Amino acid sequence: AMAGSGWARAVRGLLLDVSGVLYDSGADGGVPIAGSAEAVRRIKASGLKLQLCTNETQATRESFVRKLRAMGFDISVAEVTAPAPAACRLLKERGLRPHLLVHDGLVPEFAEVDTTNPNCVVLGDAAENFTYGNLNEAFRLLIGMEKPVLISLGKGRYYKETDGLKLDVGAYMKALEYACDVQAEVVGKPAKRFFESALAELGVPPEQAIMIGDDIVNDVGGAQQCGMRALQVRTGKYRPSDENHPEVKPDAYVNNLAEAVDIILQQL
Amino acid sequence: AMAGSGWARAVRGLLLDVSGVLYDSGADGGVPIAGSAEAVRRIKASGLKLQLCTNETQATRESFVRKLRAMGFDISVAEVTAPAPAACRLLKERGLRPHLLVHDGLVPEFAEVDTTNPNCVVLGDAAENFTYGNLNEAFRLLIGMEKPVLISLGKGRYYKETDGLKLDVGAYMKALEYACDVQAEVVGKPAKRFFESALAELGVPPEQAIMIGDDIVNDVGGAQQCGMRALQVRTGKYRPSDENHPEVKPDAYVNNLAEAVDIILQQL
């Protein structure tokens, strides 16, 4: 049905989610999804622009790209839009000094940021750093502020690693929101401002871009809110029940990135 | 103002919250709040009925009462209404087999409950057991159920220990609710059914009972929803901003339990 509709003809650029689209993450560093590395090469050979748009907050972009390249993906650091650099810009604009509850691997992204005497909390996917002690520490800092400022790098519910599903940053965000009676500011998908940064880096307006992701709300819903079309892949965290989502309906489903690229390139 | 109103004249029984009213909890076992042990003795000497109504889920009632008695409180196990025994009744009624994410000290309350092949998750104030691994395990069990059943022993946001504020079970409940897109069933304050159990054990109808607590929502709001009057003490987790709460207004504020008892006994 999708191939027949021809609506991909006007497309000039693709935004790709990474985990669950290019590879499945895990304690072992993750494994590429079959056909995805070849699909990235075909996108580039076709002349379409490409930007990765990820909520990855366990590593700096540099080390993230090293991992992708080791898995066979032809990607450079400039082709990655990620929450931590966006958060650094926001902190600077507003004179905020964060307490960081993030993964050890992400800390270098904040090297230029003043973290003394914190006046906000930045929450990322801290994984093993989500300890009872660290959560209480972040909570106490927030509840002690006259007007608590909680900045969350994404609001995903969970993600899939090779050894099973894991709670994502959004679950811990909700815990702190409830305890402090505040609303977090989300930097990352599905925030409109974050997709707009990715489109700016892609150099293509929303109506000529397609988002491809495995997350019905944060990838598909967020991109559609920005005026893009969006496909959901049936890899990664995709679950069949996503196809009955009460609010979000992708422009099409595809089995995986390779199939998405097949269909889009046929229409060009 | 309260002493003058005389509305305590019809009172026949008191429900008391424990942590923050009788004592401040902490790693050292906690310290009694000045005048509270004497206040409990005066309540009993006056002929008023008394029941403790607690969301305490870090210990069995037996060990909880031992701790209170060691601090000088004249209390017996039958005078304590707590969430775990209420949850055990609910599990039995509905044929539910829980996975327990609770404090080690609470586990013996579930000794008679079948926990093989779990079909629900029971969440208590697990404190140090709120590890990243344990939270992921509870999450995976829930998300794997056709219709996830999450039973939460309370929904408090935080509480005060002698070494500072700690996130309470409600924060972790919100994390799992969000990740699994379910609504927890709360056993404990402020659930109406829980207050009704406490009133049944007190043997006094709601209009002749007063709840005294430090938690504006779970103690004061919950009791008022059941038709009781409710006082907020300015001890424990009380914060001055509670006095501007948008939804809940106690029948009166008192500095502490001793002052509440002074005023009530004057009116009898």
Side-chain angles (χ1 to χ4, degrees), chain A residues 127-128 130 132 135-136 139-140 143 155 157-159 165-167 170-172 174-175 178-181 239, chain B residues 127-128 130 132 135-136 139-140 143 155 157-158 165-167 170-172 174-175 178-181 239:
Chain A
E128 302 289 344
F130 281 132
Y132 180 61
L135 284 163
N136 280 333
F139 160 67
R140 279 180 209 143
I143 200 84
K155 61 172 199 177
R157 293 159 61 204
Y158 58 87
Y159 54 87
L165 297 173
K166 303 272 171 80
L167 288 170
Y172 294 94
K174 288 289 175 185
Y178 177 69
C180 302
D181 198 18
R239 296 179 353 136
Chain B
E128 301 290 345
F130 281 132
Y132 181 61
L135 284 163
N136 280 333
F139 161 66
R140 279 180 209 144
I143 201 83
K155 61 172 198 175
R157 293 159 60 204
Y158 58 88
L165 297 174
K166 303 273 171 83
L167 288 169
Y172 294 95
K174 288 289 173 184
Y178 177 70
C180 302
D181 197 17
R239 297 180 351 138

Side-chain angles (χ1 to χ4, degrees), chain A residues 122-258:
Chain A
V122 168
L123 191 68
D125 175 18
E128 302 289 344
N129 282 346
F130 281 132
T131 64
Y132 180 61
N134 286 347
L135 284 163
N136 280 333
E137 186 186 7
F139 160 67
R140 279 180 209 143
L141 279 162
L142 283 170
I143 200 84
M145 294 171 192
E146 199 178 339
K147 194 174 167 344
V149 175
L150 173 61
I151 295 169
S152 188
L153 306 179
K155 61 172 199 177
R157 293 159 61 204
Y158 58 87
Y159 54 87
K160 187 182 172 187
E161 294 207 323
T162 44
D163 58 342
L165 297 173
K166 303 272 171 80
L167 288 170
D168 198 359
V169 61
Y172 294 94
M173 176 191 87
K174 288 289 175 185
L176 291 174
E177 282 188 339
Y178 177 69
C180 302
D181 198 18
V182 294
Q183 178 116 37
E185 301 174 41
V186 177
V187 175
K189 297 177 286 186
K192 192 167 185 182
R193 184 172 161 173
F194 187 72
F195 278 109
E196 287 168 350
S197 302
L199 285 168
E201 293 178 72
L202 187 66
V204 163
E207 62 277 11
Q208 297 183 343
I210 297 179
M211 173 77 201
I212 303 175
D214 64 336
D215 187 316
I216 181 73
V217 170
N218 293 301
D219 293 330
V220 175
Q224 289 176 333
Q225 288 283 324
C226 273
M228 277 176 266
R229 276 165 293 192
L231 312 186
Q232 188 177 13
V233 290
R234 294 195 180 99
T235 52
K237 79 175 71 167
Y238 164 85
R239 296 179 353 136
S241 62
D242 291 345
E243 305 203 13
N244 304 315
H245 194 282
E247 282 147 35
V248 184
K249 185 66 60 190
D251 292 277
Y253 296 96
V254 288
N255 286 323
N256 49 48
L257 178 63

Side-chain angles (χ1 to χ4, degrees), chain A residues 41-56:
Chain A
R41 273 191 291 275
R42 291 168 63 210
I43 294 166
K44 292 195 165 184
S46 74
L48 285 175
K49 294 189 176 183
L50 175 146
Q51 184 77 14
L52 305 188
C53 182
T54 178
N55 273 9
E56 165 66 40

